[in-house]
Amino acid sequence: MIATFFYQFSIQSVNPLISGYVTHLGITSTLAGLIVGIMSITSLFLRPIAGNLTDKISKYGLTFIGGILCAISDFGYMFSFNTAWLFFFRVINGVGFVLCTVCLATWLAFLVPRQRVGAAMGYYGLVNALSMAVAPVLSLEIYQKVGYKMIFLLAAVSAVAVVISIQFIDNRAMPSFVRKETTHFKLIQRSALPVASIFALISIPYFAVQADIVMYVRASNLNITVSLFFVIYSIVLIFSRILLKNYFDSIPFGVWFYICMIVTVGYLFFLTIMHNNLEMALAAALMAIGFGTMVSVCQSTALLLAPLREQGLATATYYLGSDIGMSLGPILGGIITTILPIKLLFPVMILIVPVAFSIYFFNHNALNSAIRHD
């Protein structure tokens, strides 16, 4: 979990500033968007490869490589002054990011009893939430005082801390099953695909909010302190993870799913009607309870549905759903606000609810049996 905190810190401290850094160097906005986005594109295509590798070789080794690549890319940003080098180091960052993401989650599940995977993913999500809350705020404060390069140095040091911290884990997570069972390359873990599909759908409004809420508040002329939205989201997320972590292994997927769907409609409703900070705070809190909880539930369910020999591939499949939501959310948000009044942005997003219900309906038996898997 310490390694997870440091790898997320290295990513989340850079992401809010990389776009500004690219344009600061005089690169056009079109190329800047490509440079910023190539990291996500890289991770999207490498998920299946990382998942297969995680199931075949030491998770320690892959995390070590991922941490080193993140450190190299962060150091590289400091000395990149043209498009080609920035593009190159963003790709390197994407490779390191996908290796750390898939390996650390799978490794943590590997270290705990099968019946405690849900709680482990709750802790994993809690550490992610902490780093995602702390890193952007700290990086913005430091940037305003000493500039971009100190942020990249801090991120590089954090990536090196990943490599150092995993040296204290005795169990290097070598696969213990017969190697010939894992010779075939698979793009996805089929049992985890319904979970990934549902998570992709519920991720769409989350990432649309993340991308568009500032624009939405400005275009709607709302007197709202929008910077508080994700602060409130992070605080509620942390406390909800602490309170709920011990229930992830005993409550069936369907219960969490119904709660998430109701709360999703709730936070989109409050975003639609909000005129003050209280309504914004309610939307942020509900989003943390709904989407934030399902992050851990979906991740643990994907692992429990998959056989032990495909835990890495199951994690990669789950994150593939996250990547799809991360890509489609801002895209669909842009399309909706182009062809419809901006006030309809969040009501239209509610359409993901019946689609998610249809996937759950056809897979509910398997999804609800996950907590009983050995």
Side-chain angles (χ1 to χ4, degrees):
M1 291 198 299
I2 292 172
T4 296
F5 178 87
F6 282 125
Y7 111 79
Q8 273 286 13
F9 189 95
S10 75
I11 299 296
Q12 299 301 328
S13 59
V14 170
N15 277 352
L17 297 176
I18 190 67
S19 179
Y21 179 67
V22 172
T23 54
H24 168 74
L25 296 178
I27 296 170
T28 63
S29 58
T30 303
L31 280 175
L34 180 60
I35 291 169
V36 172
I38 194 62
M39 178 178 155
S40 298
I41 295 170
T42 302
S43 66
L44 177 65
F45 282 101
L46 290 183
R47 291 283 184 205
I49 297 173
N52 281 273
L53 287 174
T54 302
D55 290 323
K56 294 179 181 179
I57 60 179
S58 164
K59 295 164 187 61
Y60 164 83
L62 289 175
T63 306
F64 184 94
I65 294 169
I68 291 293
L69 290 177
C70 286
I72 290 172
S73 61
D74 291 330
F75 278 121
Y77 294 144
M78 297 174 64
F79 305 103
S80 298
F81 300 105
N82 58 52
T83 302
W85 280 110
L86 282 168
F87 192 89
F88 172 75
F89 285 117
R90 286 297 282 174
V91 171
I92 296 297
N93 210 167
V95 178
F97 170 69
V98 75
L99 286 177
C100 287
T101 304
V102 174
C103 290
L104 284 169
T106 311
W107 196 355
L108 181 58
F110 184 92
L111 294 173
V112 301
R114 191 75 165 157
Q115 66 271 21
R116 297 295 288 163
V117 167
M121 290 304 101
Y123 282 114
Y124 180 81
L126 175 60
V127 173
N128 274 298
L130 281 171
S131 60
M132 292 172 73
V134 171
V137 175
L138 188 60
S139 66
L140 287 169
E141 286 293 323
I142 294 174
Y143 153 72
Q144 291 171 2
K145 291 178 172 60
V146 292
Y148 290 106
K149 289 193 175 182
M150 187 57 67
I151 300 301
F152 299 142
L153 179 60
L154 180 64
V157 171
S158 185
V160 171
V162 174
V163 177
I164 294 171
S165 59
I166 62 173
Q167 306 308 315
F168 297 94
I169 307 174
D170 293 331
N171 190 332
R172 298 297 170 89
M174 284 294 295
S176 57
F177 45 83
V178 181
R179 189 170 292 276
K180 67 180 181 181
E181 295 180 9
T182 63
T183 54
H184 300 296
F185 179 86
K186 295 182 179 181
L187 286 173
I188 57 170
Q189 208 293 314
R190 290 182 63 183
S191 297
L193 186 58
V195 180
S197 302
I198 289 172
F199 191 65
L201 287 167
I202 63 177
S203 296
I204 288 172
Y206 169 80
F207 287 109
V209 171
Q210 190 178 66
D212 296 331
I213 188 168
V214 173
M215 177 269 294
Y216 178 86
V217 168
R218 186 185 302 119
S220 302
N221 295 315
L222 299 175
N223 185 23
I224 287 172
T225 312
V226 72
S227 60
L228 290 176
F229 183 88
F230 283 100
V231 174
I232 295 168
Y233 170 85
S234 299
I235 293 170
V236 175
L237 178 62
I238 290 167
F239 280 102
S240 66
R241 289 268 172 81
I242 293 171
L243 292 173
L244 297 175
K245 65 183 186 302
N246 291 325
Y247 297 101
F248 294 148
D249 295 299
S250 58
I251 297 177
F253 181 90
V255 175
W256 299 113
F257 175 77
Y258 280 106
I259 292 171
C260 175
M261 291 298 98
I262 293 168
V263 173
T264 297
V265 173
Y267 83 71
L268 290 173
F269 169 77
F270 277 110
L271 285 171
T272 301
I273 68 163
M274 69 176 177
H275 291 92
N276 53 53
N277 285 328
L278 176 60
E279 290 164 345
M280 182 199 68
L282 287 170
L286 289 174
M287 191 168 79
I289 294 168
F291 176 78
T293 300
M294 285 300 285
V295 169
S296 296
V297 172
C298 287
Q299 191 163 21
S300 61
T301 302
L303 287 164
L304 291 169
L305 288 172
L308 287 173
R309 65 179 179 273
E310 294 183 353
Q311 294 290 280
L313 189 59
T315 301
T317 303
Y318 158 81
Y319 276 113
L320 193 61
S322 177
D323 289 335
I324 291 170
M326 189 185 303
S327 303
L328 284 181
I331 292 171
L332 290 177
I335 293 171
I336 292 168
T337 54
T338 299
I339 63 177
L340 295 172
I342 196 166
K343 268 293 181 183
L344 294 179
L345 171 61
F346 300 122
V348 170
M349 287 286 170
I350 295 176
L351 292 175
I352 67 101
V353 172
V355 181
F357 264 110
S358 67
I359 296 173
Y360 174 75
F361 177 79
F362 288 108
N363 297 277
H364 67 279
N365 287 332
L367 292 169
N368 287 321
S369 71
I371 62 170
R372 294 193 294 272
H373 275 227
D374 296 324

